[in-house]
Amino acid sequence: MTDLSAKDALRAEKVRTPKAQRDWQVSRVLLHACREQVMSESIESLSHSGGHALLAQSRSGWRIGVDLEKIRPRRVLALAEWACSHDEVAWLHSQPDDSARLMHFYMLWTLKEAFIKACSLSFPADLRRYGLSVSHGQPPALRAPAGAWRARSYQLEGGWVASVVWLPAPGGLTAEEPEWRAGPVGPLPAIELLGAWTRA
């Protein structure tokens, strides 16, 4: 690979499994292409999974985090006990079937990972701290760090879930919504909004 940053050039030498190496290379191709086409001065968050990558960019002074995960069968409730709050675990238990439980788990997981990245938190120690507040009979509310955080979760065609969280700079345009663009290879998949939240 060419045109790597100095930091990524050092990372390129790291020994990885073939799968991890493919994911890393895909993410760097996307990063390079987006830096050429979108914003030269921006805050970035990058995620990769299963040979695909997702990059979120925002204006300087903002905070942003993104996570992309391929949906696959998981021991959802066991993982939730480890990564989720008590009310999030109860919410997963309350889902009508395994398919809904899996989708909601990935929504929670990607939100949590996005906050980890946006706030430079510790993984896995801080997974339980942020995500959703869920009370019986009430729609889920965003459980975020201090500030007017916004969050969106999406289902992407082909069996993927992605979440993005962002905190505008003071005086920033808080009504803005994420704008999706295709990467350098392949068209943009169909995207369905799973959830939208704002922390007051």
Side-chain angles (χ1 to χ4, degrees):
M1 294 181 67
T2 59
D3 300 320
L4 291 174
S5 68
K7 187 181 291 186
D8 279 344
L10 290 174
R11 290 175 179 165
E13 302 301 320
K14 182 178 177 181
V15 177
R16 300 178 177 86
T17 66
K19 175 183 177 298
Q21 182 66 17
R22 179 189 62 174
D23 283 355
W24 190 85
Q25 289 175 340
V26 166
S27 70
R28 267 50 199 182
V29 168
L30 176 63
L31 185 62
H32 178 72
C34 290
R35 283 178 175 170
E36 285 189 331
Q37 297 176 13
V38 189
M39 301 181 196
S40 58
E41 297 295 328
S42 65
I43 306 300
E44 296 172 330
S45 181
L46 183 64
S47 182
H48 52 75
S49 175
H52 292 69
L54 181 62
L55 176 71
Q57 292 181 311
S58 65
R59 291 178 176 80
S60 180
W62 292 35
R63 295 170 78 178
I64 193 164
V66 71
D67 191 53
L68 172 71
E69 297 289 342
K70 175 70 172 175
I71 300 171
R72 58 187 177 89
R74 305 292 297 268
R75 296 174 58 230
V76 167
L77 296 177
L79 283 170
E81 292 287 347
W82 172 71
C84 297
S85 67
H86 293 301
D87 60 338
E88 288 171 338
V89 172
W91 187 55
L92 291 173
H93 273 284
S94 74
Q95 298 305 313
D97 54 42
D98 289 343
S99 178
R101 191 171 295 112
L102 187 66
M103 182 64 68
H104 284 84
F105 170 79
Y106 272 107
M107 186 171 69
L108 281 170
W109 182 269
T110 55
L111 281 170
K112 291 171 181 295
E113 283 259 34
F115 275 123
I116 294 281
K117 295 173 185 178
C119 302
S120 300
L121 301 173
S122 296
F123 179 92
D126 289 321
L127 282 172
R128 291 180 181 222
R129 292 180 62 189
Y130 304 115
L132 296 176
S133 292
V134 282
S135 301
H136 182 69
Q138 299 293 323
L142 191 63
R143 186 161 45 90
W149 284 91
R150 301 170 69 86
R152 301 291 181 267
S153 291
Y154 305 90
Q155 181 178 3
L156 281 64
E157 178 185 10
W160 302 84
V161 172
S163 290
V164 59
V165 301
W166 71 99
L167 178 66
L173 301 174
T174 58
E176 285 191 284
E177 289 293 320
E179 178 183 336
W180 286 82
R181 298 181 181 178
V185 179
L188 191 66
I191 300 165
E192 176 187 351
L193 182 66
L194 293 176
W197 305 273
T198 300
R199 186 186 188 278

